[in-house]
Amino acid sequence: MKKLIIIVSMLVMLPFLVLTGSFIIGVFGHLINVGKATYSRQIHSGRCETTQLLEDVSSVMLSPERDKALFQRGNDVFVMSTKTEEILFKGEIKTETREMTSFEWFNNEELLVVMNIFIDNSMEEYKTKNLVEFTKCYRYDARVKHHFSNSYQKALVQDKKTEEIVIQYENNKTWDTGIGFDFLGIGWSCDDRFVMISSYETETQYIIDTATKQVIQPKMYLSGRWAPTRNIYYSKDGVLFYPETMSYVYLDVDGLENGATTSYQWSPDSQYILIINDNEFLLYDIDKPKKIPKSLAKVEGFTEYDRRIWSKNMDSILCFYPKTGHSLRKPMDYYVSKIDIETGKVDTIYVDGLLYGKFYWVDDNIIYHEIDHQPGLFKSKLLW
């Protein structure tokens, strides 16, 4: 009788047990095979396949074309191909002579690395293709601030004491802009011609034309982003500013919720602006600004800027969003969706165990992310 009671109790509790062996049966009955370096689970009729990518990683940074990923882990930094998962090159963050303090992708093949040089306690910035050979870009100077353009061929240089602003060109020639003020916001246009500088506190703002050497003061305070491939600036109040002609174009944003125009995203070809209005995806063609935007679809949760991307061929938008969970153990569940731009059709996949933390779209079908109650970084293949 005691054996029968024990067997029945085990059967009742089985879905909620986490065993210490190589198999785990999760709270919803998923069979998971966990090894030292791999993790595999199939959910929702095989629509998502998840495997462990790395056991431990502190930060992740994808290259512009998302075919490479930089990882930091302890004192190691390495770059991996996201297609083959082969380690392309690696380096040490700290050595006896220097320490790398920050990284960013300069282009798809080169990294920008800031180093602290111990011998004189200086800070220097370098370009590198392999984390072994480095080309110095410049040395930080306590007297001036450098704000380099996208190509690093120009720089806005400000004297910290006088606040005077000059433009430095590739041939090291300089142009004194004649202006100087304390600013925080700065953004270069895609072709390095224009640079916008702004003070949010005083609402002082200038656009500097480095080609014609003119300083432009917009007729209204603009706050937004430059287009990726065109000299157009979108401001969060629904205004498009064309600095070459000094013209302003207003999108039809009547009827949108307050603040909706601040949740926006340029298309990679600078043809469209996506605005999220109460979780509804609206698509504006900037060459037809007065036309009512195309309503694509409405998702069930809020999508953040850095967790939305356009598909590679720009026929869909991919996003990540949370919904209230169905257990106390995990109060929020997370979903990924693919929205067809032509038809508005939404395809949604629930990724079991997905957390809010690290999340990256590698391509249209692959995401890197964290898993609930599991260490490391995981890779999920989405079967749309």
Side-chain angles (χ1 to χ4, degrees), residues 24-65:
I24 295 174
I25 296 182
V27 77
F28 300 109
H30 304 304
L31 186 62
I32 308 162
N33 189 349
V34 180
K36 289 185 178 179
T38 61
Y39 173 104
S40 181
R41 126 165 49 188
Q42 292 238 354
I43 63 170
H44 273 234
S45 303
R47 297 200 67 202
C48 178
E49 299 172 358
T50 302
T51 55
Q52 189 180 51
L53 189 68
L54 294 167
E55 288 184 327
D56 179 37
V57 63
S58 58
S59 67
V60 183
M61 192 180 301
L62 293 174
S63 66
E65 294 181 16

Side-chain angles (χ1 to χ4, degrees), residues 110-146:
E110 293 180 288
L111 292 163
L112 284 175
V113 180
V114 176
M115 289 192 197
N116 179 12
I117 309 301
F118 295 151
I119 191 170
D120 58 0
N121 198 30
S122 62
M123 300 296 289
E124 298 178 346
E125 188 168 70
Y126 294 83
K127 290 181 187 177
T128 180
K129 293 183 178 181
N130 54 21
L131 292 171
V132 176
E133 299 170 327
F134 298 90
T135 302
K136 187 191 289 189
C137 296
Y138 77 103
R139 181 185 179 99
Y140 284 82
D141 188 330
R143 298 167 299 176
V144 296
K145 290 190 291 187
H146 286 76

